[in-house]
Amino acid sequence: MDTLLLARLQFATTTSIHFLFVVVTLGLVTLLVGMQTAWFLTGNPKWERLTRFWGQLYVINYVLGIATGIVMEFQFGLNWSGLSRYVGNVFGAPLAIETLVAFFLESTFLGMWIFGWHRLRRGVHLALLWGVALTAYASAFWIMVANAWLQNPVGYEVRDGIAHLTDFGALLTNPTFGMAFGHVVAAALLTGGILMAAVSAWHLLRRTPDFALFRTSLRLGLVTAAGAVTLVQGFGFAQFGPIGQVQPTKFGGSPAADALVAEWTARFGPGDYTPPALASVGLGFMILIGFTLGAVWLLLPLLWRDWIIRLRFPLWLTMLALPLPFVAVILGWIAREVGRQPWVAYGLLPTEQAVSRVDPGLMLASLIGFSLLLGALAVTNWTLLARHAARGAADPALGRPPGTPDDEPRPAPAFA
């Protein structure tokens, strides 16, 4: 195996696993903002309990997601020195903003929110969670700005063999950015909604003591998923127009694609400039899953008078749907990234020129090591999520009043 193939496999592994954490983070934090805001406005204790329960799951996913992000950064520096050297002045700008402005602020707000229960005023505490959510979206925004530039390089000039940023505004108006960002955000909301609905369905099927509480979160999850899946489909299909204009080789041949390939052959020499078929396969299955998840709209009428709970079968369907949004986001990411090949920066920097000159044996060792580490983090994350989700919302550790013994949980209120 050659170094380029191993480096691409490592990038695919680290990015895909990290992306699974990201969509859960973005989806759950939005729902958390809604629940804690409802508690602040109504004073109803059920919203506090829901915020604490789902907030604990969010924190688990966030902490382990940071670890996967660090691993991903390591493979960037180790494997893609050509990318950093040639386009780092442009590609690095939005990444630096994401790290300094978004990620650091997000972590600060989240830490204050976690340890601010019963110590800060309720309005201040809520504002911190809003800060977490807004900076999380800002982080996704700048990451997608950077990725859009790789899909369609704009606002730069090449001097002395290095790309330099000349128009920062062009990064924000890149035609491959806007709809893609909306698509990712909607996919995260869909994932968070399905996750909330599936966990709630499990508790309702088992008739746990928090039955009324999880009935509320089931409704919230399904309504969120229904709205989000419509946005996912809309933003997804809206991308085909810009993609056809700036990336004509991505999903099939056309006169524009043939002309572009001829131009590349003259500039870079003969080669295979057709993306792997995996991009189109991933796109097809992602669309299929998207339409399948659209059936969540059929469950909404069953929420009336709790028919969804009485029939029970829809609860099983909700649970079985849990893996689908995760599979869909990975397929979508594969379609977007593999469809750019054989370029790291489309039409500007071939992938083979971006990879580091590393011995294949060393690259294989790092691939195995990073894959095992990320796999362990992913398994740990889902094990902890499943364990804490199964315990129910009687008395989560998050937000527990000071002085409450861990072995003597407070009884749940009679009302929910």
Side-chain angles (χ1 to χ4, degrees):
M1 301 180 76
D2 65 348
T3 300
L4 176 59
L5 178 59
L6 292 170
R8 290 179 61 189
L9 287 174
Q10 190 171 133
F11 176 81
T13 301
T14 55
T15 306
S16 298
I17 293 179
H18 179 64
F19 195 34
L20 294 178
F21 288 82
V22 171
V23 291
V24 173
T25 296
L26 281 176
L28 279 186
V29 75
T30 309
L31 292 164
L32 282 173
V33 164
M35 289 183 289
Q36 186 162 348
T37 301
W39 174 42
F40 178 79
L41 295 176
T42 67
N44 191 331
K46 80 171 180 180
W47 294 114
E48 178 196 9
R49 296 180 61 208
L50 284 171
T51 303
R52 291 176 57 200
F53 173 76
W54 292 105
Q56 183 162 281
L57 301 186
Y58 169 80
V59 170
I60 292 171
N61 184 81
Y62 184 91
V63 170
L64 290 169
I66 290 177
T68 64
I70 293 173
V71 174
M72 186 176 67
E73 293 297 328
F74 267 113
Q75 68 87 29
F76 257 124
L78 292 172
N79 300 346
W80 303 101
S81 59
L83 174 68
S84 301
R85 181 174 57 254
Y86 188 64
V87 301
N89 290 330
V90 183
F91 180 67
L95 292 182
I97 296 174
E98 186 272 336
T99 301
L100 295 175
V101 177
F103 176 71
F104 284 166
L105 279 177
E106 181 185 1
S107 301
T108 301
F109 287 144
L110 180 60
M112 295 175 67
W113 182 76
I114 292 172
F115 297 104
W117 284 89
H118 311 292
R119 294 178 175 88
L120 300 173
R121 292 183 178 181
R122 287 174 55 192
V124 175
H125 194 243
L126 174 62
L128 288 172
L129 184 59
W130 273 94
V132 173
L134 292 175
T135 49
Y137 278 94
S139 179
F141 177 91
W142 291 112
I143 290 295
M144 291 305 298
V145 167
N147 179 263
W149 190 85
L150 295 179
Q151 303 290 333
N152 179 43
V154 293
Y156 74 97
E157 66 177 14
V158 177
R159 298 195 303 267
D160 300 325
I162 297 177
H164 295 270
L165 181 63
T166 59
D167 184 0
F168 187 80
L171 301 181
L172 307 181
T173 58
N174 194 328
T176 61
F177 165 63
M179 294 301 171
F181 175 65
H183 189 62
V184 168
V185 169
L189 290 174
L190 174 60
T191 304
I194 292 293
L195 176 63
M196 177 173 284
V199 172
S200 302
W202 185 84
H203 281 279
L204 292 173
L205 285 169
R206 291 174 59 88
R207 299 278 176 176
T208 57
D210 297 310
F211 184 89
L213 199 69
F214 285 109
R215 180 176 57 190
T216 299
S217 59
L218 173 72
R219 292 171 176 170
L220 179 59
L222 288 178
V223 170
T224 301
V229 75
T230 303
L231 294 175
V232 165
Q233 294 169 356
F235 282 120
F237 285 114
Q239 293 180 70
F240 282 101
I243 288 176
Q245 295 175 5
V246 300
Q247 289 183 311
T249 61
K250 194 161 196 171
F251 297 124
S254 66
D258 295 339
L260 193 57
V261 169
E263 178 186 338
W264 289 341
T265 302
R267 288 174 55 194
F268 298 97
D272 184 6
Y273 295 104
T274 303
L278 179 62
S280 297
V281 173
L283 177 67
F285 279 104
M286 179 194 65
I287 293 175
L288 180 63
I289 294 175
F291 281 125
T292 301
L293 289 173
V296 71
W297 279 99
L298 301 177
L299 298 179
L300 296 189
L302 298 179
L303 295 176
W304 186 65
R305 294 194 175 184
D306 291 337
W307 279 107
I308 191 172
I309 299 173
R310 298 180 187 180
L311 295 175
R312 296 178 66 83
F313 180 65
L315 296 178
W316 284 105
L317 289 180
T318 303
M319 290 176 55
L320 293 175
L322 179 58
L324 294 182
F326 293 97
V327 175
V329 296
I330 293 301
L331 292 175
W333 196 249
I334 288 175
R336 184 171 175 87
E337 296 303 294
V338 175
R340 191 178 67 228
Q341 295 302 314
W343 306 97
V344 170
Y346 191 78
L348 180 64
L349 178 63
T351 306
E352 61 184 12
Q353 295 181 17
V355 70
S356 302
R357 304 307 175 199
V358 178
D359 181 77
L362 182 60
M363 186 68 74
L364 178 61
S366 66
L367 170 61
I368 295 173
F370 283 161
S371 298
L372 290 175
L373 177 57
L374 285 166
L377 290 171
V379 171
T380 301
N381 182 60
W382 284 102
T383 300
L384 291 174
L385 288 178
R387 181 179 301 171
H388 286 274
R391 289 178 179 175
D395 187 34
L398 179 68
R400 182 178 292 153
T404 303
D406 292 343
D407 56 349
E408 296 181 10
R410 295 180 300 159
F415 51 88

